[in-house]
Amino acid sequence: MRRLAETGCEVEIDALINWMVKDYVGAFGSHKYPFYNLHARQYLLIAIAHAAIDVPQIFQKHYAIFAQHALDGIPHALIQKFAADIALVIEAAFPNTYNSETIEKLSQIGVSQFLIQEIEGYGNHFESPWHKRGEVDRSLQIHFSYDFDRYWFEPLGNVFGITAQQVEDLARVSLLKDWGIQMEDQYVHDPRENLWRND
């Protein structure tokens, strides 16, 4: 994306952004893998966010698309964050692209509305509010994939000052109670399992 932007490949960039807006993978995807659409959108926005820093003018005409993805699109933290970053880069390069209310909303994407609390001492943790109030159902069973705890739950816990185990507990509650995911057993079945078995 950076190379396309630096060499002025506007037609190609427009086509990629229009494909994202089209929201249809056609013959290039499978209805069995809906998350691929999210992955493609996320990585395209990450690439555009990097390219827009140096060549914002090539993305300016798409300013409404970036604001829409940041504010009214799929509730996906990374997609919203990178779309907002792009929009703010465009606004910095071309003032008054957005109105002041939109700029304020864009600047709040990914910013916690809670006060920062400091933890005293190395290795200490807070207890999550749900754990403190005894609201976490620890009887829920769901098995998370190999390394999920180490590479997803632990860093997320570090951000909030809670243990990886508490993040895992909350993930179980979110999946099974809040999202209403139905489980036949304690393993989440990935639609790509047949591909792996064929290998």
Side-chain angles (χ1 to χ4, degrees):
M1 182 56 69
R2 232 186 206 150
R3 188 68 52 88
L4 288 172
E6 288 168 356
T7 54
C9 296
E10 197 168 335
V11 173
E12 291 79 4
I13 289 172
D14 291 350
L16 287 169
I17 293 171
N18 289 334
W19 195 267
M20 179 179 69
V21 172
K22 187 176 166 184
D23 196 27
Y24 175 68
V25 294
F28 301 102
S30 169
H31 69 281
K32 296 178 184 174
Y33 311 145
F35 40 83
Y36 279 11
N37 188 352
L38 294 175
H39 289 178
R41 189 181 310 258
Q42 174 185 322
Y43 291 116
L44 178 62
L45 290 169
I46 290 170
I48 291 171
H50 289 287
I53 292 168
D54 297 322
V55 194
Q57 64 275 13
I58 206 162
F59 302 102
Q60 182 188 16
K61 70 170 98 167
H62 302 290
Y63 73 93
I65 292 168
F66 302 124
Q68 190 273 330
H69 272 75
L71 301 173
D72 304 315
I74 298 164
H76 185 290
L78 292 175
I79 288 173
Q80 291 174 321
K81 185 219 181 306
F82 285 103
D85 288 351
I86 298 163
L88 292 170
V89 164
I90 291 170
E91 175 62 30
F94 304 98
N96 300 316
T97 298
Y98 302 102
N99 62 40
S100 58
E101 182 184 345
T102 302
I103 294 167
E104 178 62 26
K105 287 179 181 176
L106 289 168
S107 66
Q108 293 303 310
I109 297 288
V111 177
S112 175
Q113 302 304 306
F114 299 102
L115 295 174
I116 295 175
Q117 297 180 9
E118 297 292 331
I119 299 174
E120 297 289 330
Y122 178 77
N124 291 336
H125 297 94
F126 291 112
E127 194 169 7
S128 86
W130 301 274
H131 284 85
K132 237 187 232 184
R133 294 189 299 260
E135 297 173 356
V136 177
D137 183 352
R138 293 177 185 247
S139 69
L140 298 174
Q141 294 296 313
I142 190 170
H143 176 75
F144 292 104
S145 301
Y146 181 70
D147 285 342
F148 214 81
D149 52 354
R150 177 75 188 272
Y151 295 108
W152 287 88
F153 294 148
E154 192 174 306
L156 184 58
N158 289 339
V159 170
F160 294 100
I162 64 175
T163 65
Q165 183 57 57
Q166 287 192 349
V167 175
E168 189 170 334
D169 293 343
L170 295 171
R172 280 191 182 92
V173 170
S174 293
L175 289 170
L176 299 173
K177 298 256 175 131
D178 300 337
W179 294 2
I181 302 290
Q182 299 296 317
M183 302 287 294
E184 294 172 14
D185 56 32
Q186 63 177 304
Y187 293 90
V188 176
H189 296 286
D190 191 306
R192 297 168 294 178
E193 286 173 346
N194 289 338
L195 294 175
W196 301 332
R197 288 188 185 122
N198 289 338
D199 194 21

